[in-house]
Amino acid sequence: MSVDGVGAEHGDGGADEPGWDVDPDDESGVAVVAAVGRQIKAWRESAGMRAGEFGAAIGYGEDLVYKVEGGRRIPRPEFLDRADEVLGAGGKLAMMKGDVAEVRYPKKVRELAKLEERAVEMGLYSNHNIHGLLQTPEYARALFEMRRPAYSEDEVDRVLAARMSRQRVFGRVPAPALGFVQEEVTLCRPVGGTMVLRRQLQRLLEVGQLRNVEIQVMPTSREDHAGMDGAIEVLKFEDGAAVGRSDGAFAGRPVSDPKQLRILELRYGMIRAQALTPRDSLTFIEHVLGET
């Protein structure tokens, strides 16, 4: 998938491009794309156009038109714009871009993003790399590109776009309370190279200045460490409900049972207490940046 919408399926007779196929296991995504496809077909037939004629008019191949109408292919935003224009739909097809946008991202990422968008408080501990909500696009891309087995370039683009979309949480009003604890090693590992790491550290310093954000560093020298079992996430919502997850607890599954949440909250609270204060952490990050 190409995040800027320019790809091989446009203007070349409809050649397929990986990354825009519908995931058959994503039931909600399948339903959305199928409904959009049916609407496009209905408008095309109402206009008295054959699939090939319609495809030529909007700059796409006949085969791709059939795939989109059959709910087997996710239509690009520009596909919907051109279809709306050619079929005289008066904005009714173009407005479906919002319905289709989320389907482009993996189901698990969409579910996580929805939780993050609802949360009024988040406590997040990362031990292997900078937390996804704090990552720059270059840093995130470097992480995805080193994955094994390797992602294709289209898959990298897709998961990168999904990760970046989650950072809308920083623009929410009212702003949620966000707490991050980062292992010292995550500030030193040159993921993507020295310049990528420098920009990532600068990003941490910028976000750390926000009044609703606290970033803490867990020094490698700490002897007592409550986070040795792995990353922790605790999200709390306005209605008093909460959900948490940890690599080293409850088989890594999300939990909402109060007894299980208390365990994660206890661990996260101890991690925060053992880490540097937010003020000292920003000073520490500035020092690492100066040495990088």
Side-chain angles (χ1 to χ4, degrees):
M1 170 183 291
S2 174
V3 294
D4 62 5
V6 179
E9 68 185 11
H10 183 273
D12 66 353
D16 280 342
E17 179 187 359
W20 289 81
D21 289 320
V22 180
D23 181 356
D25 294 327
D26 182 358
E27 294 180 2
S28 60
V30 168
V32 168
V33 177
V36 171
R38 286 194 297 270
Q39 286 294 316
I40 294 171
K41 183 178 181 180
W43 278 96
R44 175 178 65 78
E45 291 180 342
S46 179
M49 298 183 73
R50 295 182 177 179
E53 180 186 4
F54 170 60
I58 66 173
Y60 287 82
E62 180 179 3
D63 183 59
L64 180 64
V65 170
Y66 280 128
K67 286 184 177 180
V68 169
E69 292 183 349
R72 303 189 305 277
R73 192 75 165 169
I74 302 171
R76 289 180 175 276
E78 62 270 22
F79 183 107
L80 293 171
D81 285 334
R82 290 289 295 140
D84 192 277
E85 179 182 348
V86 169
L87 299 176
K92 293 182 175 62
L93 292 178
M95 70 184 296
M96 292 181 177
K97 288 186 291 186
D99 298 319
V100 171
E102 287 189 356
V103 179
R104 296 181 301 174
Y105 305 143
K107 182 179 179 181
K108 290 183 179 180
V109 175
R110 297 203 310 269
E111 292 173 346
L112 176 59
K114 288 179 180 178
L115 289 174
E116 291 172 343
E117 289 173 358
R118 285 179 47 220
V120 297
E121 181 181 340
M122 284 190 263
L124 308 159
Y125 163 64
S126 299
N127 58 340
H128 289 312
N129 47 61
I130 303 298
H131 192 275
L133 292 179
L134 297 172
Q135 291 172 8
T136 64
E138 297 84 3
Y139 183 96
R141 177 177 288 277
L143 283 176
F144 289 133
E145 287 179 344
M146 69 177 66
R147 180 186 181 274
R148 296 294 182 271
Y151 280 135
S152 69
E153 187 62 28
D154 299 296
E155 289 171 327
V156 170
D157 286 343
R158 184 180 190 187
V159 293
L160 175 62
R163 176 156 296 180
M164 293 300 102
S165 73
R166 289 170 50 205
Q167 296 186 6
R168 292 176 300 189
V169 68
F170 290 109
R172 276 179 46 197
V173 179
L178 304 174
F180 300 88
V181 181
Q182 290 288 156
E183 282 293 331
E184 177 183 342
V185 66
T186 67
L187 309 178
C188 304
R189 182 174 292 120
V191 173
T194 300
M195 292 309 299
V196 170
L197 177 59
R198 284 187 58 83
R199 285 191 288 270
Q200 178 62 70
L201 294 173
Q202 291 166 351
R203 170 66 174 166
L204 295 182
L205 294 174
E206 293 168 2
V207 175
Q209 298 298 326
L210 299 176
R211 286 182 295 175
N212 64 310
V213 176
E214 290 188 343
I215 298 177
Q216 295 179 253
V217 175
M218 175 67 79
T220 303
S221 60
R222 283 287 189 267
E223 294 182 6
D224 294 326
H225 191 333
M228 296 304 288
D229 281 342
I232 295 176
E233 299 172 285
V234 179
L235 280 61
K236 299 182 179 180
F237 309 106
E238 190 172 13
D239 61 1
V243 63
R245 194 194 72 80
S246 174
D247 292 341
F250 316 117
R253 299 188 307 272
V255 297
S256 55
D257 179 82
K259 292 182 179 179
Q260 295 174 323
L261 281 170
R262 276 198 294 272
I263 294 174
L264 299 185
E265 290 177 332
L266 173 63
R267 291 182 183 178
Y268 183 70
M270 293 181 66
I271 290 170
R272 290 196 64 187
Q274 293 162 347
L276 300 178
T277 67
R279 182 185 296 273
D280 289 344
S281 294
L282 292 184
T283 300
F284 187 92
I285 295 170
E286 288 178 343
H287 175 73
V288 174
L289 176 59
E291 295 291 319
T292 301

